Every structure is written in structure tokens, then in C-alpha cells.
Amino acid sequence: MSITSFPEGFVWGVSTSAFQIEGATAADGRRPSIWDVFSADRAEACDHYHRYPEDVRLMKELGMAAYRFSVSWARIFPDGGGKPNAAGLDFYDRLLDEVTGAGITPYATLYHWDLPQALEERGGWPSRDTAARFAEYAAAVHERLGDRVDTWFTLNEPWVAAFLGYGSGVHAPGRKSPADAFRAAHHMLLGHGLAAQALRAGGAQKVGLVLNISPVMTPAQVSDFGRELSEEDAAAVARIDALANRQFLEPALRGAYPAELLPVIERHGGLGHLHDGDLETIAQPLDLLGVNYYTPLVVQAQPSEPADPAYPGSEGVLFCTIPTAVTAMGWPIVPNCLSLLLGRISREYPGLDLMITENGADFVDVVTGDGIHDVDRISFIEEHLRALRAAIDDGARVRGYLVWTLLDNLEWSDGYQRKFGLVHVDFATQRRRMKDSALWYRDVVSRNGLAETRPRRPTLETVAARAGVSRATVSRVVNGESSVSPEVRAGVMRAVKELGYVPNLAARSLVTRRTNAVALVLSVPRQGGDTLTSAVVQYVTSLLEGAGKQITLMLADTAESHRRIAAHVEARLADGVVLLPPDRGDTLAERLSRTEVPLVLLGKPPIASLVPYVDVDNAGGAAAATEHLLARGRRRIGMVCGPMDLVTVQDRLAGHRAALQRSGLTPHLAPADDLTRASGAAAALRLLTDVPSLDAVFAATDQLAIGVLQAARELGRRVPEDLAVVGFDDVDAASATTPALTTVRVPVADQALALARLLLSRLEGRHTTSVVLPTRLVVRDSA
Ligand code: FCB
């Protein structure tokens, strides 16, 4: 097997941060940080504070050489100042013993966004004093842990902390003031400088800073970076680059703010907070620049556009969506940008050592009996590693790569729904399970490189990364366009051959635009799917239009319309098809799947096929509903089912049966003729008359459950005292019944998003599998 190997001594590892994993927010004297106050209900996280031995063991099993963690300031100085809290330091002492004992090199970050609330109350980062407090904190932590930590990162992503925390207010502490945001940014930089001095005075070996550096470009540049820009677009790109990147890079590495930024800062609260000598303090020698890369920033000039609150001074700049696949977070996946940005930093700051301190992706994970097959995450990391390798070949001094992140965790304002981990965490039990990506990464680490012969189709992206050119260039070569120089052409053809790349329709269409439309086929009528259908229309349209596709909306309601749709797709008038099949009797999916045009379905089809679909975990949701009734002491549980030929109904029934069986109980079933309330009421009347001793009813949908409530009223049964009732779907009406309905929530927007994302991935020739989204029990009054 041939291997794309990395330089000898290349450091592989993972990154985490304190607030996102530790939990134990009141343990051993810790007091609240701004994040505890900002998102009060989320304290437990991964309970890493108590489970760190297991987490370190996982890293050891994965062969990690490096672990970047962050120290919680609020554990060390719970009130912001005074004497350091010994019990807080003790935790990191234990953690470091464990980490170094496992042969893993620790990298410490001092500030990963969790300012002690006590300091926020004294003005937070907009106050200059916070910078001095930060340096004291750095010194105290170094004094206790410096014997085991060589590399100290002062700040993590100060742009995010300053501009989302104090500018747009979507992060803690939630202030919305451009002036505060600029002041916070400056004081963070000052804190970095002062802390760097304190660390060095204490004898620290290496001091670094972690920045989220986002390449900034126009939509057209994403596939063709060399493209010339209009003056207006060039100015828009430069402005956002100054705000997002150069605002931090230049003071830290050159001791100056970008000249064009100063008037912008001045307009937002003045320059009074920039004191003489600050920039010298900030520009401390840096041993290592940590680079966090996820996605580029794509902008263009748009005169009427108001400023984005996260980028004060961005009037006249539009933030754009672009033609590419995205992660579940909605972030465009553009691995080439990693090479681009490393090349840029290496050119602008020659001699600087770099480390990728974060890179990773949120995807919807499906837990199956035989593991978590997160192929999307593997592709994401692999493609970024190829881009990284290309940058190293071009001379970037990148010393290591750390995946964000070890564990599924608390993703700031987004809570627990985001899944960035190599390791899955079940937050109900705190059980950890390695995903396929963890095992795959373990192999990468152990061979210090990527295997060339992974049985996966190489993409346009892979060829571009290998040949060190843009996707558009590959596309041009593949399409035999003459505008490419012979050297570049030879390089691309070599990469194509080595990787065994087979161009697909999407690759060709990138340049030729031979087909540029996606068909969105809606079957009518569909039972009770109105909100879902409209969400699908909305998401599919916006995501795919953002990707440069036109949407052809087609209604499949008659045999004639089926014929027309099939002819349309067979004639290749669509790049891809999103199909919302009818509830029963679908023949279109089968027919369309024979055309080789990428197809994705909403809902699991009745007959197993290779066409990927998006569905919710119907069986799991029904089992959870039934288990809830059991946990409330109900033992004689009936079920009002819908028509048994509906796949959804079959799955919900299967989950219900399985849960009863585990408790040694037998089901009592009443099928309804359709999914209307009236049919639900009729089925429930039959059921409760036949088996009067029932003390609970689970209904396959909320509409049926509302019918059950009606029937219960007619029979004089009190809900929930005599009869507990649970529905499914969490439709709007479910919270308006008396008593309000306990039900199972299905994620509507996520299904729509997943469907759009699945088609985009297929259009890009990525490997895709069906997506089954988790459901959640919503407990109200009826059970
Ligand atoms: C970065 C943060 C990290 C995590 C990832 C997804 O901006 O540093 O804590 O939230 O994004």
C-alpha cells in the first residue's frame, strides 16, 4: 500500500476546551464563567472533570501524540483575582499526570472563551484591567503546571470571543456593541502580550497564539482563486480580511494594526483605548502560531448592504453562500482553502512555525448496532490532510495537526446538537463510543500519513489538492479546454492517473454548465406532511440555489405527470433529483433510480434500495414513548396505529412492540383507517371498549392521539389519571390540547437540511449513505 506520508516528527492529536467538556461547574470552588450565565441549563457537558481518566485512555488507544486542552479561568480565580484556588489547579495537576503518564504531550490553552463572570461584572474584556488579570492568571497556572507543559497558547480565536461575544451577541456575554467589540479585541491582544511576558518570565518553553484564520474570497474565487476582482469586490475582500484576520495577525506578529482598520475602529467608539506601548507589548516573539481552519469567508461588494454586527465596518459587503457541499453546521467544505491560507501565512510571515490547532466537522451521526459509520467526517478530514500535505510540500512550516475534537460536546450557543467528536457521547448515560472516524484517524496517526488506496472514489477536490491547483483548473483540464498551460495540464493528468479519478457529471458541469438544474419532485397529496414539505422546499431551494443550481419544482400527482418527470430526468435536464414520494404506491423512485442521475428521497422507501434517503428514527421514538409510559407505571398499554401499509407506521409499531417485549408485555393494537383525528377517535373507542382495563394509549401520530383524547372524554376517562396518552410528531396542535400532549418530536428543519445536503454531496460525487435523524420525547401533561 502506498502512503502519503507526513514529515518525520509531525505531531498528531486532538483539541478540546474546558467549558465544552468539563461539566462540574460548581465543583471544588469553581464559580460561574460568562458561559455558565449565558447558557444556564447546560452545565454537565461531558463530565470530563470526573471522567478524564477514561478520556485520556481513549486518546491513548487512538495513539494520539498531542492533546490540546484549555484551563478554566473560573476554576483558578473563581472571583477573578486574589489568591489562586488550589483545588482548581489540583484538577489540572491530576489531568496532566494522566496525560503525560499516557505518553501524550499536553498543549495548554489559557483562554478558550470562559471569562470568570466576576470579571465580566467588572467590565469584561472591554475593560483594560482584564488584560492585567489575564497575565496574573497565566503566571499562576504556569507556576503550578509549567513542569509538564512545554507549549502555552494564550488565547483561542480572539475574533470569535470579541466580535460574537461583544459585537453580535450570539456568544457570551451577549453584548451588542461595536465599540465594546473593538475594545475587547484590543484588550485580548494586550492580555496575550502580557501573558506571554509572564509565561517567559516563569521559564515557559514555547508561547503561542491560536487564531481562526479564514481565507476571504468572492464566490467566483472559490473554484478559481487566481480570478481578477473588480475594484469594489477587492475592497470588500480586503475589508473583511482586515477585520477577521489581519486585526489579530498584524499586531501580534508585526506590532501594528492594519492601516485601513484604524479609521474603522475610530468610527466605532474612538481610539482612546489604544495606549502608547501597547503594540510593543502585544508583539511578543511567538514560537508557534495555532491555526484553526473550518471554512472560508465568501463575500462580495453590495452597495446597499448594512454592516453585519459581527463585522462592524462591513457596510456594503454581502456574505454569500457558495456552490459546494456543507457540513451539518451549514459551513461550506473547501479543503483547498487550507493550502491557500497556509501558503499565504508562510509568505507573509516567513520562518513562523505553524500548527493546525483545530479542524473538523459537524455531521449528523447515526448510531447503529454495529457502530457509527461517519464517512462524511472521514472524507472531510482526509481531504483537509491532503490539502495540508500540499502546503507542507510548498514549504509551509506546519508542525502538527489536531482534530477538533475528541468528544461530541457542548458546542457553545448551539448546545449539544452539534457533533464534532471522533468519539460519540450519549449525553443521557455519558457513554463514549468511538466512531469510524476515530479508528480511521488512529490508522493515519500510526502510519504518519494517508493510505492512497482507500476504496473510495477520489473527488475533483482530491485531484485538485494533489495537483496543487484549483478545482476549476482540474475541471478545465478534464474537459479538454485549451486555456491551461502544458505544465499545469501535465500535473493535473498525473494526479488524475495516480488517483484513478473518474470525472463525473458534476465535475464537468462546473465549467461547461451543461446541466444546471435540480428537480424537486413533490407528490401530492401526502398525509399530514405540510410543515415538512414546506421546510423541504425552503431548504432545498436556498441551499441548492446557493450552490448555483436552478430548482425545477415538479408536482407528481397523476400518471401523466409521472411520465413527464421521468422523461425530463431521462433527458438529463436535471443534475439531480430530490423526491418526496407519495405515502403509498410509489413507482417513480424506482424508475428515476435507473437513470444514473443522483437521486435522494425523503422517507425510507418501502422496498430496500441503494437510493439514499433521509428519515427520522421512528422505531427509536416509539420505543422511547412506550418506555416513558412504562416508567410512569403503566402496564396495560394499547396502540392506535395508522394504516399498516405505511412504512412510518410499521416502524413506529415495531419500536412500540420491541419496548413492550423488553418488559414482558403484549401489545393491544387498533389500526385506524387513515391518519385523521376522526379515525383516531373511532379506533380508540373500539380499543377502550374492547379492553377497558387499558391505562395508557400510544398513538402513531399526534392527529390520531388527539382523536384518542376525544374518545377518552366521550367515555368519561380522565387523562392522564385514568388513561395516559402519547402521540408522535409534535405538530403545533399537540401543545394546544387539554391536557397538552406528550409526544415525540421529529426534527423538521434538520430533515430538510439533511436532504439538501445529501443531494449536494451526491452531486459532488461524494460517498453518501442514508441519514436517520434522532427523535426526542417531549413530556407534557397527557402522560
Ligand atoms: C471553534 C472553537 C471550538 C469549536 C469549533 C467548532 O471556533 O474554537 O471551540 O466550537 O469552532
Side-chain angles (χ1 to χ4, degrees):
M1 180 169 61
S2 90
I3 289 172
T4 306
S5 59
F6 279 71
E8 212 187 313
F10 191 80
V11 177
W12 297 98
V14 286
S15 278
T16 65
S17 92
F19 183 72
Q20 292 178 275
I21 62 169
E22 285 180 0
T25 52
D28 301 325
R30 184 188 181 279
R31 307 236 0 245
S33 75
I34 52 175
W35 274 98
D36 299 62
V37 175
F38 191 71
S39 47
D41 55 331
R42 305 205 176 128
E44 200 190 355
C46 306
D47 194 30
H48 171 78
Y49 192 80
H50 298 112
R51 293 168 196 265
Y52 69 91
E54 179 184 354
D55 295 337
V56 174
R57 197 160 56 241
L58 284 166
M59 286 191 277
K60 187 175 180 187
E61 279 169 33
L62 293 175
M64 293 302 107
Y67 176 44
R68 170 176 172 248
F69 69 104
S70 85
V71 177
S72 154
W73 190 346
R75 289 197 195 284
I76 314 302
F77 286 102
D79 298 310
K83 271 190 29 212
N85 170 29
L89 284 164
D90 288 346
F91 166 66
Y92 296 101
D93 200 73
R94 295 193 294 275
L95 172 66
L96 284 173
D97 280 347
E98 201 79 21
V99 169
T100 52
I104 299 170
T105 305
Y107 288 67
T109 306
L110 287 165
Y111 188 66
H112 204 123
W113 307 352
D114 45 356
L115 184 72
Q117 175 65 15
L119 289 180
E120 173 61 16
E121 279 158 22
R122 277 177 253 154
W125 283 109
S127 153
R128 189 174 175 90
D129 184 55
T130 302
R133 300 283 82 75
F134 181 59
E136 277 171 24
Y137 153 67
V141 175
H142 179 266
E143 188 179 317
R144 178 72 186 273
L145 309 175
D147 57 337
R148 276 152 300 160
V149 178
D150 286 346
T151 305
W152 295 86
F153 291 112
T154 53
L155 308 173
N156 175 71
E157 302 192 1
W159 179 83
V160 174
F163 287 88
L164 301 189
Y166 295 90
S168 69
V170 299
H171 275 200
R175 285 200 234 171
K176 293 182 181 153
S177 151
D180 282 349
F182 281 118
R183 291 173 67 89
H186 181 70
H187 294 143
M188 284 180 198
L189 283 166
L190 183 63
H192 157 74
L194 294 170
Q197 288 174 339
L199 290 165
R200 289 228 201 270
Q205 304 255 320
K206 288 192 175 167
V207 177
L209 169 67
V210 174
L211 299 180
N212 53 312
I213 306 176
S214 313
V216 188
M217 56 190 66
T218 62
Q221 285 184 311
V222 174
S223 52
D224 186 5
F225 189 67
R227 162 98 53 137
E228 286 263 328
L229 296 184
S230 68
E231 214 173 289
E232 295 76 22
D233 280 344
V237 166
R239 169 64 49 88
I240 300 306
D241 187 41
L243 285 163
N245 301 321
R246 289 161 57 217
Q247 177 166 200
F248 300 93
L249 281 168
E250 294 193 9
L253 293 163
R254 291 192 174 139
Y257 274 109
E260 66 167 295
L261 195 62
L262 289 169
V264 178
I265 303 179
E266 190 165 22
R267 265 194 288 128
H268 295 95
L271 297 173
H273 60 291
L274 310 183
H275 293 193
D276 281 352
D278 281 2
L279 283 159
E280 288 79 74
T281 307
I282 292 169
Q284 294 300 309
L286 210 63
D287 300 299
L288 190 61
L289 178 69
V291 174
N292 293 355
Y293 171 70
Y294 292 92
T295 194
L297 275 167
V298 185
V299 301
Q300 69 190 35
Q302 178 93 296
S304 57
E305 199 63 20
D308 182 315
Y311 299 86
S314 65
E315 293 83 0
V317 179
L318 177 71
F319 289 80
C320 313
T321 44
I322 49 165
T324 185
V326 293
T327 66
M329 200 85 171
W331 292 349
I333 304 172
V334 194
N336 271 354
C337 277
L338 181 58
S339 323
L340 209 69
L341 108 86
L342 292 171
R344 169 195 172 176
I345 298 175
S346 308
R347 264 193 318 280
E348 293 182 4
Y349 307 97
L352 181 62
D353 275 0
L354 306 173
M355 181 172 220
I356 304 302
T357 34
E358 289 182 24
N359 176 238
D362 164 36
F363 286 111
V364 173
D365 288 324
V366 181
V367 183
T368 72
D370 69 344
I372 301 155
H373 308 304
D374 55 338
V375 285
D376 283 340
R377 191 169 291 100
I378 294 176
S379 299
F380 181 97
I381 298 175
E382 176 171 19
E383 286 169 13
H384 284 79
L385 286 175
R386 290 196 192 284
L388 170 57
R389 197 11 236 277
I392 294 175
D393 288 347
D394 284 346
R397 298 158 62 107
V398 184
R399 304 306 184 208
Y401 174 90
L402 311 179
V403 170
W404 183 268
T405 180
L406 178 67
L407 305 169
D408 285 344
N409 64 28
L410 203 179
E411 176 54 32
W412 308 111
S413 301
D414 278 358
Y416 294 102
Q417 57 172 324
R418 301 290 168 212
K419 310 291 176 192
F420 277 90
L422 296 174
V423 175
H424 176 273
V425 176
D426 177 342
F427 289 99
T429 61
Q430 290 292 353
R431 175 170 170 212
R432 273 82 161 138
R433 244 172 302 189
M434 288 197 198
K435 303 178 192 175
D436 285 359
S437 57
L439 303 172
W440 172 85
Y441 189 51
R442 179 193 62 192
D443 294 344
V444 171
V445 173
S446 77
R447 65 169 101 84
N448 191 35
L450 296 164
E452 295 290 8
T453 49
R454 220 158 78 74
R456 209 174 56 84
R457 227 174 56 193
T459 61
L460 191 68
E461 201 73 77
T462 338
V463 178
R466 164 71 71 96
V469 300
S470 71
R471 300 185 338 157
T473 305
V474 176
S475 212
R476 286 204 190 94
V477 173
V478 166
N479 289 300
E481 286 197 1
S482 56
S483 61
V484 184
S485 75
E487 297 82 50
V488 172
R489 173 176 303 280
V492 170
M493 289 316 289
R494 201 165 41 241
V496 164
K497 249 178 72 201
E498 284 169 2
L499 294 170
Y501 173 69
V502 184
N504 63 12
L505 205 64
R508 285 203 298 276
S509 71
L510 244 177
V511 163
T512 60
R513 302 261 175 227
R514 230 173 279 163
T515 55
N516 197 27
V518 162
L520 172 54
V521 182
L522 305 181
S523 303
V524 275
R526 282 170 57 85
Q527 305 247 32
D530 293 353
T531 44
L532 183 55
T533 306
S534 62
V536 167
V537 172
Q538 187 194 326
Y539 276 90
V540 167
T541 311
S542 74
L543 244 93
L544 291 166
E545 281 184 353
K549 302 284 173 199
Q550 274 155 23
I551 310 300
T552 318
L553 195 59
M554 306 186 90
L555 289 187
D557 51 352
T558 57
E560 169 52 24
S561 66
H562 282 212
R563 204 198 49 71
R564 209 168 16 80
I565 291 164
H568 180 90
V569 177
E570 278 154 10
R572 296 287 194 277
L573 295 173
D575 283 349
V577 183
V578 177
L579 173 62
L580 275 60
D583 293 318
R584 45 172 72 93
D586 174 43
T587 51
L588 205 48
E590 213 267 291
R591 183 150 175 202
L592 294 179
S593 71
R594 275 181 276 141
T595 63
E596 281 178 30
V597 172
L599 168 69
V600 298
L601 301 179
L602 179 67
K604 185 166 94 182
I607 298 165
S609 81
L610 288 176
V611 180
Y613 60 84
V614 171
D615 205 345
V616 299
D617 184 4
N618 285 305
T626 310
E627 272 150 17
H628 171 73
L629 290 169
L630 292 165
R632 295 284 156 111
R634 309 291 164 142
R635 282 291 171 278
R636 288 175 302 279
I637 306 173
M639 177 171 174
V640 171
C641 316
M644 299 302 287
D645 59 334
L646 299 183
V647 181
T648 307
V649 170
Q650 292 163 14
D651 284 352
R652 292 178 185 179
L653 173 58
H656 173 68
R657 268 186 204 283
L660 288 180
Q661 220 162 47
R662 284 193 286 276
S663 297
L665 299 173
T666 46
H668 304 277
L669 306 179
D673 297 338
D674 53 38
L675 296 178
T676 58
R677 293 178 188 189
S679 300
L685 276 177
R686 261 185 284 123
L687 185 65
L688 293 170
T689 319
D690 288 353
V691 196
S693 62
L694 289 186
D695 56 12
V697 173
F698 167 55
T701 70
D702 286 344
Q703 296 299 345
L704 293 175
I706 294 170
V708 176
L709 293 177
Q710 263 169 29
R713 243 192 321 273
E714 271 172 47
L715 295 171
R717 309 276 303 260
R718 289 176 310 150
V719 178
E721 294 82 353
D722 309 338
L723 189 73
V725 178
V726 182
F728 206 119
D729 289 333
D730 196 25
V731 298
D732 287 345
S735 54
T737 53
T738 323
L741 200 58
T742 292
T743 181
V744 178
R745 179 172 301 162
V746 299
V748 174
D750 283 359
Q751 281 181 80
L753 184 64
L755 201 58
R757 196 168 65 76
L758 198 57
L759 186 68
L760 267 179
S761 298
R762 297 214 67 197
L763 291 177
E764 295 210 333
R766 286 166 199 270
H767 175 72
T768 48
T769 50
S770 296
V771 174
V772 178
L773 297 163
T775 55
R776 191 160 67 78
L777 187 74
V778 180
V779 179
R780 297 204 185 90
D781 305 329
S782 70

